[in-house]
Structures are given as structure tokens and as C-alpha cells.
Amino acid sequence: MFLVVEMVDTVRIPPWNFHRQLNEAVAEELNKKLANKVVYNVGLCICLYDITKLEDSYIFPGDGASHTKVHFRYVVFHPFLDEILVGKIKYCSQEGVYVTLGFFDDILIPPESLQQPAKFDEAEQVWVWEYETDEGTHDLYMDQGEEIRFRVVDELFLDTSPTGPTTDPEPPANSSTAPTAATDDSAQKKEAPYTLMLISDMHHAVVKMV
Amino acid sequence: MEVRDANAAMLSNYEVYQLLTELKEKRKESVKNKHSTGQQNLNTIMYETLKYLSKTPCARQSPETVKEFLTAMLPHKLTKAEKLQLLNHRPQTAVEIQLMVEESEERLTEEQIDELIQKVTDILPGDPQQEDTPGDAEMDASTEQ
């Protein structure tokens, strides 16, 4: 689930933090910059693992702060393909079942990947697995807040960096590296920078049945 | 900012849990700057991740149990990813093992699967509450506790 990623960056320490130990000031700045943020094609950054190398600090004319090049390692949430995870069902919609891990929300199980046969109950807005046994069909509801075990099948990184100002009235095309068929304007709709697609392998209730 | 190696090492849930608890202790001592807007992100992610991890089996592990588990897994010839998943999830049933181990029908016989479950249950500490309640459950899924 979690990885260690090696990164290099130049950290700016403002002058009012000069009284602190360089290591601590650098660690704080790095956490401020990266914690709880998604880095494109890397994952959701959790916290600093350690600092491997601190190079010389420089002060540039016009800016009182010091700039230090830092080599460090960061703990990143990035499940590998086919990894099994356990999460809670956030809500269901026509598009599928949305699962949350608490610290990471954008997880979707599209209807094709649910245990078949499954149908969407409009009245209660839940997906239902019609489990066939010799005695008849049992309806297993994917209720909100239920724990669910799932396997990661696909991941989607979207480049949400701001696009430049448009000169013509047409909405600007999203960067070509975005692999989805995102047809909405990046200016209006908020797109999740990191989404996981899964298949649900087992529902906890079903585990007990099996 | 440059990413040198996007896959330097894999971490088990236990290691991340340790790291975050130590970080939380350190931050508790320096009370002054926790609430500034810059630190909010770190606070949020730490809180949520700790909340999630404390409900997994990793919260009850220690470096010794992890080491013991990995040595016990040596004869089974599992890949690193499979051992990591077994460590993080502590599977109790054969179905779970089949999910986590690729091609388990070809690589492991039924006895080996049972042996794996036994080792996992013995070496990795389980949830004390769950072990008290009886294992059999009703077929009625809609009224699941």
C-alpha cells in the first residue's frame, strides 16, 4: 500500500526560521509542501520518511531566505496492481460503488466489476448482489459504511495543473497525458487527481457465508 | 522538484504506523506551530491514516513478529508483494489466501494453504475482541452487525 519515493527539491527557509536546526526546518517545509497532496504519477504523499542528503545552503540577492537542495525520501500511498485493500463504502450511484479509505477517497468500483449478477436499487440508491444458491436468490446489499474488500485493477492520474489563459472561446484541451475520456472543461468541474478502479472481490458478509 | 526513484522501497502498514506514531509524539512536544494553516494538511493526513491503520492487524505487530513471520514464510517461496499482503491483512481463511497469492491452486496444495493460515494465526497477533466472539455467522447478510 505504501511506498518510499526518493525525491530531490530545493527548500526555501524563511529568515525567521534561521534559529531552528536546519534538519527540522527543512523537514517542516517539506511536510508543508507535500503532505496530503497527490504528485502526478507517484501517488498520495503521506509524510517525510527521512532526509538523505543536505547540500550547501545559498542566499540569493533580493531574498533574505536560504535555499537548500535536499535529497529526501517520502512515504507515498500508491497501491500496486492487483493489491487487495479493505475500505468502507461511501455511497452508491449509477456509475458504481464509491469506496473510501479514510485518508483516500477517490476509489470507484464500476458496475461491470461487481460480483455478477448485480443490480442497482433506485429506491434505496444501493447496489445489490443477487447471490444464487440452491435455495434461491439472496439479495446482498452494498450498504453505506459497510466494510468491503477489493482488488486494485486500474489507476488514473490526472494532470490538474492550471492551464494557461485561453485566447479563444473554446475550452482548452486537457493535457494529452491524461488517459481518461474526460470530456468536461477543466475550468469548471473539479477532477480528482488520483483515482483507483477496482473489482470487489468479497463483501465481509459474504466471507462469513463462504 | 524531481522524483529520483518512484519505487525505492515498499513499506508494510506496520512501518508506516510506527513512523506516524513517532511523528505524532514529536509534534505533541512542540505545541506552538501545529495549528498554522501550513501544518493542517500534515495533521489531517496523519490523523486519517492513523485512524485507518489502527483498525488493521498492523497495530498489534512489533519488529520481532514481523521478522519471525518473514522467516517462517521463507520455505513457501512467495513473492515480496504476496508476503507484504499476508503481513498487512492477516488472512484467516483459504479464500483470502487464494486472493492474495497468485495462482495459488497451482503453487500451493491444500495442506500448504492450511499450514500458511496456521502460521499466520500463530505468529501475527490477532484482534483480541474478534477472537472472543464465535466464528460461525448467520447467512443473513443484510442484518450483519
Side-chain angles (χ1 to χ4, degrees):
Chain A
M1 221 194 298
F2 298 102
L3 292 176
V4 173
V5 177
E6 282 178 11
M7 300 194 235
V8 181
D9 196 13
T10 311
V11 172
R12 178 184 183 268
I13 312 278
W16 49 88
N17 278 337
F18 279 175
H19 65 285
R20 300 174 64 187
Q21 283 288 327
L22 184 60
N23 280 40
E24 282 174 25
V26 163
E28 188 186 314
E29 286 298 316
L30 285 174
N31 276 329
K32 232 196 268 189
K33 177 171 177 179
L34 288 175
N36 206 16
K37 303 243 170 81
V38 174
V39 177
Y40 187 60
N41 280 342
V42 168
L44 172 70
C45 295
I46 309 280
C47 72
L48 184 70
Y49 187 67
D50 64 5
I51 301 177
T52 26
K53 186 163 143 191
L54 278 173
E55 297 187 15
D56 291 334
S57 308
Y58 294 95
I59 298 185
F60 296 111
D63 184 7
S66 77
H67 298 254
T68 323
K69 193 157 172 191
V70 187
H71 299 242
F72 58 97
R73 295 189 288 190
Y74 220 84
V75 177
V76 169
F77 169 73
H78 189 170
F80 50 86
L81 205 61
D82 286 343
E83 182 170 358
I84 308 283
L85 295 174
V86 177
K88 284 210 165 74
I89 297 182
K90 202 162 63 168
Y91 63 92
C92 301
S93 79
Q94 279 293 354
E95 290 150 13
V97 180
Y98 288 88
V99 184
T100 175
L101 287 180
F103 58 94
F104 185 73
D105 262 359
D106 304 308
I107 305 180
L108 169 67
I109 309 183
E112 311 81 64
S113 313
L114 289 170
Q115 299 100 325
Q116 298 301 329
K119 71 169 199 294
F120 186 57
D121 186 343
E122 287 290 342
E124 297 183 36
Q125 292 282 304
V126 285
W127 279 93
V128 186
W129 179 23
E130 292 153 339
Y131 186 67
E132 296 264 346
T133 58
D134 298 327
E135 293 128 19
T137 351
H138 291 267
D139 274 351
L140 299 170
Y141 288 82
M142 305 251 180
D143 289 322
Q144 224 184 41
E146 288 271 331
E147 270 196 15
I148 184 167
R149 194 169 299 156
F150 51 86
R151 183 201 297 273
V152 177
V153 154
D154 192 18
E155 63 190 18
L156 236 76
F157 279 103
L158 268 181
D159 189 4
T160 51
S161 40
T163 50
T166 48
T167 45
D168 43 24
E170 239 109 44
N174 232 343
S175 65
S176 55
T177 44
T180 47
T183 48
D184 33 26
D185 321 337
S186 49
Q188 274 134 30
K189 186 163 169 206
K190 244 188 149 189
E191 287 282 337
Y194 180 29
T195 318
L196 289 175
M197 301 281 197
L198 332 150
I199 50 177
S200 103
D201 274 311
M202 296 148 61
H203 192 189
H204 263 221
V206 180
V207 175
K208 291 184 186 166
M209 279 181 63
V210 174
Chain B
M1 191 180 79
E2 191 197 320
V3 176
R4 278 286 158 86
D5 187 357
N7 208 336
M10 286 163 66
L11 287 177
S12 70
N13 287 9
Y14 170 70
E15 290 171 278
V16 179
Y17 184 71
Q18 269 309 93
L19 197 72
L20 287 174
T21 5
E22 277 168 18
L23 192 61
K24 195 162 105 163
E25 289 300 318
K26 262 196 278 182
R27 282 163 65 74
K28 246 193 236 180
E29 289 158 26
S30 76
V31 194
K32 50 165 185 166
N33 56 6
K34 272 197 299 187
H35 295 286
S36 69
T37 41
Q39 300 290 330
Q40 244 346 86
N41 268 328
L42 181 63
N43 290 346
T44 313
I45 191 79
M46 265 176 56
Y47 171 70
E48 293 285 351
T49 315
L50 274 174
K51 198 163 87 166
Y52 176 79
L53 288 177
S54 56
K55 298 211 204 89
T56 63
C58 80
R60 291 174 290 277
Q61 290 168 0
S62 74
E64 294 82 33
T65 53
V66 176
K67 203 158 81 169
E68 212 187 313
F69 177 74
L70 288 175
T71 4
M73 288 294 121
L74 280 174
H76 293 276
K77 294 204 197 28
L78 299 168
T79 68
K80 192 153 79 159
E82 290 165 359
K83 282 188 276 199
L84 186 65
Q85 285 193 75
L86 292 179
L87 181 64
N88 285 345
H89 284 270
R90 194 179 180 261
Q92 304 268 298
T93 60
V95 188
E96 295 173 65
I97 303 254
Q98 274 170 0
L99 283 178
M100 295 179 199
V101 177
E102 269 175 74
E103 290 165 17
S104 52
E105 299 94 51
E106 293 155 18
R107 284 161 62 190
L108 302 170
T109 63
E110 258 199 55
E111 304 149 359
Q112 283 178 319
I113 295 187
D114 282 331
E115 204 192 321
L116 261 178
I117 299 178
Q118 201 47 49
K119 279 191 189 168
V120 166
T121 325
D122 288 337
I123 301 177
L124 300 177
D127 187 0
Q129 287 167 331
Q130 229 178 36
E131 249 123 63
D132 287 333
T133 57
D136 304 346
E138 293 304 302
M139 296 257 288
D140 197 355
S142 53
T143 57
E144 196 227 334
Q145 31 121 295

